Amino acid sequence: MILPKTNRLTPEQLAEITAVVAEFGCKIQPIIGAVRTIYAIVGDERDELMINRLEGLSYVDRIDRIQSPFKLMDRRSDLATHRITLGGAVLGEELLVIAGVCTIDPKNPNYFHETAQAVKEAGAQVIRGGVWKPRTNPYSFQGDTKSLDILMEGSRRTGLPVDTEVMEEAHVKLALDAGVHVLQVGARNALNYSLLRAIGRAVAERDTVVLLKRSLHMGPLSEFISAAEYIAAFGNPNIILCPRGTAPTLDGYRNHPDESITPLLKEKTWAPVVVDPSHSVGKASYVPACALAAVAYGADGLCIEAHVSPNQGIGDDPKQSLTPEVLTETITQAKQIWNLRRPVKAG
Ligand code: PEP
Ligand code: MN
């Protein structure tokens, strides 16, 4: 829909926009109002170049799009009935909990194994463990490929699927060859379109799940959903959206908590939403409240950092990992909120 700056376009302006959209196989249908005339684009209005050319015309105020730019992730797409199952849980039917260490310590694998067992007992259905780490400080521990074996050993011992972050194409291949069940795309790479494409291509013929974090710098929600579309375009619709806080930070928290975007996402996309409260608030004492708020806002699950002995952990674990006791309590309360979300039965 083209909204002009004036009440209506001149015949010359109308001829110009008609010629622009015709190049993209579309037509213009004026909708004449009492005061103002607007101009519908009839046809597939998703071509970015067509929209850019129209927006560049001096007499065009703005373009309102009716069709969404994401074909597969749109909640009106045929994929809307698609269900993702992880660790025996069908997303949307029961609360999914992904929990475990921020960073696997390759020198002390037992912390990871003990944590994996503890988070399983707390009710998590997926174990997380960072093998490769995106660190702000280049001199901080960057992860170690050796940790991939520890991660997979944890999966064998617990019988649960595992999640780890991949930062480059080489990680994708290593993780898939090792049998990682959930590839995590981190906040720093959520706008790395060549990596998103590479992941989409690599998981196309598999049942691997991709957990896509929201970037610190994503603006409109459509930017987040379009990033997921890059992966889905290759054929694997097992994609979970993961809000994890954005920039600029809310003073005192690690990021600006964004668990409240879930209802907005669900209006646009069918994709399940699993919120990461750990990176959102960045301090263990704030994590449970953020986790519960996320479930109240309609999240399908939570991704929480936990450690049997946070002080002995590396990466984010000392500051933001929950102990198994607090994780157990948080999951119990989160499930109570989940149950409250069910519509109250009449009578
Ligand atoms: C993580 O999950 O440990 C992590 C680095 O997350 P994010 O990409 O959200 O910062
Ligand atoms: Mn972390």
Side-chain angles (χ1 to χ4, degrees), residues 96-156:
L96 180 84
V97 180
I98 303 172
V101 302
C102 169
T103 307
I104 296 173
D105 179 352
K107 295 202 184 93
N108 295 292
N110 276 342
Y111 283 129
F112 173 71
H113 291 308
E114 286 166 26
T115 301
Q117 187 55 36
V119 303
K120 179 182 178 176
E121 283 163 22
Q125 302 98 328
V126 182
I127 310 291
R128 62 155 286 156
V131 172
W132 303 285
K133 297 306 297 181
R135 304 306 301 278
T136 308
N137 184 336
Y139 305 112
S140 300
F141 178 64
Q142 307 282 313
D144 189 333
T145 300
K146 273 188 239 145
S147 299
L148 189 55
D149 293 337
I150 302 170
L151 181 74
M152 296 319 296
E153 173 64 18
S155 178
R156 280 188 289 277

Side-chain angles (χ1 to χ4, degrees), residues 102 128 133-134 165 184 186-188 213 244 254 276 279 305 316:
C102 169
R128 62 155 286 156
K133 297 306 297 181
E165 177 173 351
Q184 181 176 313
R188 291 156 191 81
K213 299 267 193 121
R244 47 76 75 209
R254 177 169 175 171
D276 171 350
H279 293 85
E305 289 187 342
D316 293 329

Side-chain angles (χ1 to χ4, degrees), residues 83-96:
R83 289 284 168 275
I84 300 173
T85 306
L86 254 181
V90 180
L91 270 112
E93 290 179 12
E94 74 178 273
L95 181 75
L96 180 84

Side-chain angles (χ1 to χ4, degrees), residues 79-327:
L79 289 181
T81 53
H82 179 68
R83 289 284 168 275
I84 300 173
T85 306
L86 254 181
V90 180
L91 270 112
E93 290 179 12
E94 74 178 273
L95 181 75
L96 180 84
V97 180
I98 303 172
V101 302
C102 169
T103 307
I104 296 173
D105 179 352
K107 295 202 184 93
N108 295 292
N110 276 342
Y111 283 129
F112 173 71
H113 291 308
E114 286 166 26
T115 301
Q117 187 55 36
V119 303
K120 179 182 178 176
E121 283 163 22
Q125 302 98 328
V126 182
I127 310 291
R128 62 155 286 156
V131 172
W132 303 285
K133 297 306 297 181
R135 304 306 301 278
T136 308
N137 184 336
Y139 305 112
S140 300
F141 178 64
Q142 307 282 313
D144 189 333
T145 300
K146 273 188 239 145
S147 299
L148 189 55
D149 293 337
I150 302 170
L151 181 74
M152 296 319 296
E153 173 64 18
S155 178
R156 280 188 289 277
R157 289 193 194 179
T158 56
L160 294 183
V162 285
D163 159 285
T164 204
E165 177 173 351
V166 286
M167 299 192 300
E168 50 193 72
E169 244 184 287
H171 298 163
V172 177
K173 180 162 178 10
L174 286 168
L176 290 177
D177 287 351
V180 169
H181 310 83
V182 183
L183 298 184
Q184 181 176 313
V185 182
R188 291 156 191 81
N189 271 312
L191 289 167
N192 179 345
Y193 297 124
S194 53
L195 181 67
L196 297 177
R197 248 194 237 106
I199 291 174
R201 211 177 288 119
V203 300
E205 305 291 324
R206 298 170 177 258
D207 56 9
T208 313
V209 174
V210 180
L211 181 86
L212 176 67
K213 299 267 193 121
R214 185 173 181 215
S215 158
L216 281 77
H217 305 293
M218 274 176 178
L221 293 188
S222 56
E223 210 176 347
F224 190 13
I225 304 169
S226 294
E229 182 86 16
Y230 268 89
I231 302 164
F234 289 90
N236 179 334
N238 291 328
I239 300 168
I240 298 174
L241 299 178
C242 181
R244 47 76 75 209
T246 55
T249 56
L250 184 60
D251 197 15
Y253 288 149
R254 177 169 175 171
N255 287 292
H256 195 114
D258 59 350
E259 68 283 345
S260 60
I261 66 164
T262 301
L264 304 175
L265 286 171
K266 287 187 171 287
E267 250 168 40
K268 291 177 188 266
T269 176
W270 52 265
V273 178
V274 168
V275 170
D276 171 350
S278 303
H279 293 85
S280 195
V281 294
K283 197 168 168 194
S285 57
Y286 305 139
V287 170
C290 182
L292 300 185
V295 179
Y297 269 113
D300 300 289
L302 297 166
C303 177
I304 304 180
E305 289 187 342
H307 195 288
V308 279
S309 185
N311 284 340
Q312 308 304 316
I314 57 175
D316 293 329
D317 288 315
K319 62 180 176 193
Q320 68 190 32
S321 267
L322 300 187
T323 60
E325 295 70 34
V326 178
L327 179 70

Side-chain angles (χ1 to χ4, degrees), residues 20-53:
V20 171
V21 303
E23 282 184 46
F24 298 89
C26 296
K27 292 187 173 137
I28 292 291
Q29 174 64 55
I31 301 171
I32 301 164
V35 179
R36 199 170 183 202
T37 299
I38 55 176
Y39 300 82
I41 303 167
V42 183
D44 189 344
E45 57 166 23
R46 282 176 292 207
D47 198 301
E48 211 56 43
L49 180 58
M50 174 176 76
I51 301 296
N52 289 348
R53 286 192 39 202

